[in-house]
Amino acid sequence: MLKREEIFPVFRKTRYVVHVDLDAFFASVEVLLNPELKGKPVVVGGLPHERGVAATCSYEARKYGVHSGMPLRQCYKLCPQAVFVRGNYHLYQAFSEKFFRILREYTPDVEEASLDEAYLEFTRCRHLYPSFSETAREIKRRVEKDLGLSVSVGAASNKILAKLATKKAKPGGFFELQPGEEEEFLRELDISEIPGIGPKAQVMLRLLNVHKIADLWKLPLGTLRSLFGAPSDELYLLSRGIDCRLLEVEGKPESFSRETTFLQDIWDRELLLAHLAYLCDRLASALRREKLYARVVEVKLRYSDFKAVSRRRRLLLPVQETSRIYRVARESFLELWEGSRLALRLVGVKGSELVEARHLSLFEIYSEREERLSQALDRVREKYGFGSVLTVREKMLGEVYPEDRSRGFILKTASLTR
Ligand code: TTP
Ligand code: MG
């Protein structure tokens, strides 16, 4: 097998990449908030006889063959004693945001691979840390202590190896792959472990008696190309642990938006305003976290027929505080909506033309009292979740649909950063 160093000498032992992935993320949050579930099989995604699939399940449930993406009814057949919960996406999102805030304290080079999964690179800040290994372990301890969730951590010289190392470390472990150990490590792994080898590719390869990664090494590049076309070159390299992909690190955001798509169209004015208030609150909290103010506030509506309209307002004084954003957003919303009063399937709010506090003139700085109140609010929410403090208007959402604020009526809530 060609050694990594022979192909890309520049990467010889020069990178240190850490991959971090929370264990059974949604299920672990449910267990954390309801300790009675500890040690029990837990399935998140819906009730046993509902349509739909499991978003995830606890490791106790996995022993029965239950896994993400499995229809709930089948989960129930395999493990009838499991506790089924519908889940609360907002809650998981709040945990996820906290997770990434912790990671960014250690290095600015953080790639958000998914809600509960990140790559960190220490190559640029190698001089800050006497031992990468110790830092990776320290991150694991910090995440577990501050979030109360179990996390697995893998470390290696590139992304693919770090991700595979995490997989080996699961659940709750730490695994570091040393340079030179790649071949032994990869040899016995199943081909399905390589990202990019989907179910169809697996079927083709297994027909050729290729099951383990070492079997794949025997296939010439030409054969791979005839089977899979263009992606073969990357596959050829990845299967040998060679990966020169850099982290996809996001730059400074240009805008923040929060939007909600409803499961059923809504026409009730007060309920729509309650949703809008909630979205403004989320937006304000994202702005505060980044210490940014928005000069432009835009409201977007989508009608049942998918037609979308929006209205943006450029403000004299940039805003960050919830009630100010809501006041502007409400006005735009009513201008757009009152004319038609049609049912809506989506409401969204966006803040753009972002400015940092230090670039605001003296006259633009708002009352210190408001700022202190917001900071206190953020601290409480950080500790007890976003839903722990809600305005009277937002609380209405819970009263209308008391059984479940997140799923009963919302199809999805998206946070977009551009
Ligand atoms: P994963 O990290 O893939 O899974 P996991 O954290 O539940 O379990 P582990 O990492 O220990 O194997 O996904 C993170 C969360 O994303 C998961 O808790 C639920 C959600 N998710 C879905 O909603 N649908 C899916 O098909 C998958 C795979 C995950
Ligand atoms: Mg995970």
Side-chain angles (χ1 to χ4, degrees):
M1 181 175 105
L2 266 179
K3 289 270 183 293
R4 193 168 47 100
E5 293 87 329
E6 289 163 25
I7 299 186
F8 296 110
V10 67
F11 285 117
R12 183 186 309 165
K13 297 177 195 163
T14 54
R15 295 182 71 192
Y16 194 81
V17 178
V18 175
H19 179 256
V20 188
D21 190 311
L22 296 168
D23 300 320
F25 177 37
F26 292 3
S28 304
V29 173
E30 295 297 335
V31 175
L32 181 72
L33 299 184
N34 181 4
E36 275 182 26
L37 301 181
K38 211 175 160 95
K40 291 186 185 161
V42 177
V43 176
V44 182
L47 303 183
H49 300 293
E50 284 179 347
R51 279 192 306 154
V53 297
T56 192
C57 56
S58 64
Y59 276 79
E60 287 81 356
R62 295 183 196 194
K63 285 185 206 146
Y64 296 86
V66 175
H67 58 75
S68 302
M70 180 179 272
L72 292 162
R73 287 173 197 188
Q74 197 183 340
C75 297
Y76 182 72
K77 263 190 210 150
L78 290 174
C79 186
Q81 68 275 42
V83 181
F84 286 75
V85 284
R86 287 202 173 115
N88 180 338
Y89 192 79
H90 294 316
L91 189 65
Y92 310 141
Q93 203 167 30
F95 271 86
S96 169
E97 284 169 14
K98 199 166 166 187
F99 172 59
F100 286 106
R101 275 207 298 288
I102 297 172
L103 302 181
R104 288 209 170 81
E105 284 181 30
Y106 292 87
T107 166
D109 295 333
V110 177
E111 174 180 329
E112 296 190 20
S114 76
L115 216 55
D116 80 328
E117 178 188 355
Y119 292 95
L120 288 78
E121 177 138 19
F122 290 94
T123 317
R124 271 208 299 168
C125 45
R126 52 165 33 98
H127 303 297
L128 293 176
Y129 297 106
S131 158
F132 289 143
S133 206
E134 192 35 53
T135 309
R137 285 174 203 272
E138 157 68 18
I139 292 172
K140 176 166 156 55
R141 283 192 294 270
R142 255 298 293 289
V143 169
E144 287 175 340
K145 183 166 154 278
D146 288 14
L147 286 187
L149 301 176
S150 165
V151 65
S152 302
V153 177
S157 56
N158 63 37
K159 286 171 77 172
I160 177 86
L161 292 172
K163 188 175 168 87
L164 292 172
T166 300
K167 211 151 187 194
K168 187 173 166 77
K170 268 192 179 291
F174 172 78
F175 183 74
E176 183 176 25
L177 191 69
Q178 303 293 348
E181 291 176 356
E182 295 87 349
E183 191 173 335
E184 257 343 278
F185 173 68
L186 292 169
R187 176 173 296 283
E188 290 302 308
L189 296 181
D190 192 81
I191 48 168
S192 58
E193 304 268 1
I194 300 181
I197 303 195
K200 272 191 198 156
Q202 277 181 53
V203 171
M204 283 205 263
L205 289 168
R206 291 190 203 285
L207 283 173
L208 294 170
N209 220 12
V210 172
H211 301 285
K212 293 191 171 156
I213 292 186
D215 301 329
L216 200 55
W217 295 339
K218 293 181 200 140
L219 290 189
L221 183 57
T223 314
L224 278 179
R225 282 188 183 145
S226 64
L227 285 173
F228 305 117
S232 306
D233 293 26
E234 187 170 70
L235 191 63
Y236 184 84
L237 293 173
L238 289 182
S239 68
R240 285 160 174 79
I242 300 163
D243 181 5
C244 53
R245 288 173 304 165
L246 299 175
L247 266 60
E248 289 173 26
V249 177
E250 280 173 19
K252 275 218 171 305
E254 281 171 18
S255 71
F256 288 100
S257 49
R258 297 287 185 270
E259 57 183 48
T260 292
T261 309
F262 309 120
L263 208 51
Q264 281 167 352
D265 299 342
I266 298 182
W267 55 266
D268 181 300
R269 183 179 187 273
E270 294 311 306
L271 192 52
L272 287 168
L273 286 173
H275 276 286
L276 186 69
Y278 173 75
L279 294 169
C280 291
D281 204 358
R282 299 291 312 213
L283 177 66
S285 132
L287 289 169
R288 283 202 295 274
R289 194 171 305 128
E290 302 295 327
K291 301 193 173 35
L292 292 170
Y293 288 72
R295 260 192 208 285
V296 171
V297 173
E298 184 172 340
V299 168
K300 178 167 113 182
L301 315 181
R302 197 184 289 283
Y303 294 100
S304 336
D305 60 1
F306 282 82
K307 190 172 152 258
V309 286
S310 63
R311 175 141 309 176
R312 53 186 265 139
R313 278 200 147 75
R314 194 163 193 281
L315 310 166
L316 223 49
L317 302 183
V319 284
Q320 185 191 56
E321 201 260 330
T322 307
S323 63
R324 286 172 198 270
I325 296 178
Y326 177 65
R327 223 171 295 145
V328 180
R330 179 179 189 274
E331 211 173 299
S332 301
F333 172 87
L334 293 175
E335 280 173 17
L336 284 170
W337 184 73
E338 290 269 64
S340 68
R341 291 197 164 235
L342 290 173
L344 295 180
R345 70 182 317 266
L346 176 147
V347 176
V349 61
K350 172 157 122 182
S352 59
E353 290 194 24
L354 306 176
V355 273
E356 289 178 28
R358 64 193 166 92
H359 292 143
L360 296 179
S361 75
L362 204 58
F363 300 105
E364 290 176 325
I365 298 290
Y366 294 119
S367 97
E368 211 178 286
R369 194 167 161 268
E370 268 180 13
E371 194 146 330
R372 281 214 308 274
L373 181 66
S374 306
Q375 284 165 358
L377 182 65
D378 290 337
R379 280 197 296 274
V380 174
R381 283 174 166 172
E382 179 134 324
K383 201 154 173 195
Y384 301 105
F386 194 89
S388 58
V389 190
L390 291 174
T391 61
V392 175
R393 188 171 285 285
E394 291 168 55
K395 269 214 151 36
M396 182 186 166
L397 300 179
E399 281 155 21
V400 177
Y401 300 99
E403 76 284 1
D404 186 338
R405 287 194 345 108
S406 80
R407 282 183 67 102
F409 59 105
I410 293 176
L411 183 62
K412 67 172 193 262
T413 294
S415 312
L416 311 164
T417 308
R418 290 216 174 80

